[in-house]
Structures are given as structure tokens and as C-alpha cells.
């Protein structure tokens, strides 16, 4: 069965955490980002995310993947999309650099770096179907926790992951940072 998603999304290529860091250092990640139309300077965001995983105790040989989720600007049609109306959206060059690794338990462990404010945060959330009635964390972690629990409940996702993200979107700027977090949690 083929995916209806574009190859850039559906053709996930796994690496290791150590390889992601190596690709950041030697410039090969920057070259791949430029070939995809992104700025090579985003390499620093991916390196930040990968290093957060490394310092949290994730082994460099752990299977990993890295991806970019852009923010967006709604040019026309604000609040019409969920009322069957039309919207005109545009992806922006700011967003989330994500590096994630597999876990052997049913926890979602999120490490966030907010580049513009310099803030860092961390949350661990159980994602089993039975955890659906437990309280969600406060703040930004509420979004990925809700998405992960929904995946566990509706699609039987049984294992968690460590997700490190580095975000250069301005907070509360209308650039859909909360929507981007839901998408990165799904991915």
C-alpha cells in the first residue's frame, strides 16, 4: 500500500542519535536542508535538540530520526477552516527542529528548547490507553501529551519516545505553534 503523503513526509529514514550529531557537525545535514529549501543555519537547532537527548541519557547508538515542522501564517480565512470555509496558508522558515528516539516503555518524554526566549522545559507523560483519564500537564506540554494519548487510545500505540525539539517561532505570534506541536507529536 502506498502512502498518500508526499515522499518527503512518508519516506522516513532512521539513523542514530550519534549520526544526527555527526551530520550536524560535518555539514552534511546543512547541505540536505538547503537541498530541501531550508536554511543551513537550522542545523544549529537540530544539534541543540540532539544534544538535549544526549545529555538526558539517551545512548548515541539509539535509533533516531530528525525532521522539521514549519510554523505557518494564515493570510486569509482566519477561523473559517473549521467551519467548512476556505483559508490561505503559507509555511514560514521558522518552526520546530525535532530529533526523536524510541523508548521501551509507554512514556512520552519531551525536551523543549525555545530559542528566542532561551527557555528550556521538560515533561514526561504516560501514553497508555488507560492513562486517558489522568490529568494532562500544564502549559505547552499539554498539546503533545493529548496527541500522544489519542494515538495510544485510538490506534494502539504502545511504546513511547524521547522527543527533543528546538523552536524558533515567536510565542503567541499567530504562527500556529500549537498546531505544529500537534503535527510533530503525530509524526
Amino acid at each position: 500500500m502506498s502512502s498518500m503523503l508526499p515522499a518527503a513526509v512518508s519516506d522516513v529514514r532512521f539513523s542514530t542519535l550519534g549520526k544526527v550529531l555527526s551530520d550536524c557537525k560535518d555539514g552534511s545535514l546543512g547541505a540536505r536542508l538547503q537541498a530541501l529549501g531550508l536554511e543551513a543555519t537550522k542545523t544549529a537547532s537540530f544539534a541543540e535538540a540532539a544534544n538535549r537527548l544526549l545529555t538526558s541519557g539517551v545512548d548515541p547508538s539509539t535509533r533516531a530520526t530528525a525532521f522539521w515542522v514549519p510554523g505557518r501564517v494564515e493570510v486569509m480565512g482566519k477561523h473559517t477552516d473549521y467551519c467548512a470555509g476556505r483559508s490561505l496558508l503559507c509555511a514560514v522558515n521558522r518552526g520546530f527542529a525535532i530529533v526523536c528516539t524510541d523508548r521501551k516503555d509507554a512514556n512520552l518524554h519531551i525536551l523543549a528548547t525555545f530559542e528566542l526566549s532561551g527557555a528550556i522545559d521538560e515533561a514526561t507523560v504516560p501514553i497508555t490507553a488507560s492513562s486517558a483519564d489522568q490529568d494532562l500537564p500544564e502549559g505547552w506540554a499539554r498539546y503533545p501529551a493529548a496527541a500522544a494519548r489519542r494515538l495510544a487510545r485510538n490506534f494502539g500505540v504502545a511504546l513511547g519516545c524521547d522527543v527533543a525539539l528546538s523552536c524558533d517561532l515567536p510565542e503567541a505570534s499567530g504562527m500556529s505553534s500549537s498546531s505544529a506541536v500537534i503535527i510533530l507529536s503525530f509524526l
Side-chain angles (χ1 to χ4, degrees), residues 26 75 89 122 158 160:
D26 71 14
V75 180
L89 306 173
E122 182 174 351

mmCIF file of all heavy atoms in Angstrom, residues 26 75 89 122 158 160:
data_model
loop_
_atom_site.group_PDB
_atom_site.id
_atom_site.type_symbol
_atom_site.label_atom_id
_atom_site.label_comp_id
_atom_site.label_asym_id
_atom_site.label_seq_id
_atom_site.Cartn_x
_atom_site.Cartn_y
_atom_site.Cartn_z
ATOM 1 N N ASP A 26 29.525 17.870 10.623
ATOM 2 C CA ASP A 26 30.307 17.832 9.377
ATOM 3 C C ASP A 26 29.662 18.601 8.220
ATOM 4 O O ASP A 26 30.217 18.662 7.135
ATOM 5 C CB ASP A 26 30.623 16.390 8.970
ATOM 6 C CG ASP A 26 29.416 15.597 8.463
ATOM 7 O OD1 ASP A 26 28.361 16.191 8.159
ATOM 8 O OD2 ASP A 26 29.543 14.360 8.362
ATOM 9 N N VAL A 75 -2.909 33.767 5.858
ATOM 10 C CA VAL A 75 -3.009 35.001 5.098
ATOM 11 C C VAL A 75 -4.453 35.478 5.017
ATOM 12 O O VAL A 75 -4.744 36.659 5.192
ATOM 13 C CB VAL A 75 -2.420 34.817 3.675
ATOM 14 C CG1 VAL A 75 -2.508 36.100 2.867
ATOM 15 C CG2 VAL A 75 -0.973 34.329 3.765
ATOM 16 N N LEU A 89 -3.030 29.601 3.528
ATOM 17 C CA LEU A 89 -1.937 29.458 4.485
ATOM 18 C C LEU A 89 -0.603 29.489 3.774
ATOM 19 O O LEU A 89 -0.513 29.157 2.591
ATOM 20 C CB LEU A 89 -2.063 28.128 5.232
ATOM 21 C CG LEU A 89 -3.396 27.874 5.916
ATOM 22 C CD1 LEU A 89 -3.441 26.469 6.452
ATOM 23 C CD2 LEU A 89 -3.614 28.875 7.015
ATOM 24 N N GLU A 122 10.816 20.525 30.183
ATOM 25 C CA GLU A 122 10.827 19.071 30.073
ATOM 26 C C GLU A 122 9.537 18.531 30.668
ATOM 27 O O GLU A 122 9.025 19.064 31.642
ATOM 28 C CB GLU A 122 12.035 18.528 30.842
ATOM 29 C CG GLU A 122 12.216 17.056 30.777
ATOM 30 C CD GLU A 122 13.529 16.617 31.443
ATOM 31 O OE1 GLU A 122 14.359 17.469 31.804
ATOM 32 O OE2 GLU A 122 13.687 15.396 31.595
ATOM 33 N N ALA A 158 1.741 1.688 21.608
ATOM 34 C CA ALA A 158 2.037 1.122 22.917
ATOM 35 C C ALA A 158 3.379 1.564 23.492
ATOM 36 O O ALA A 158 3.596 1.438 24.690
ATOM 37 C CB ALA A 158 2.008 -0.404 22.832
ATOM 38 N N GLY A 160 6.501 4.521 23.890
ATOM 39 C CA GLY A 160 6.726 5.955 23.861
ATOM 40 C C GLY A 160 7.985 6.317 23.104
ATOM 41 O O GLY A 160 8.594 5.489 22.429
#
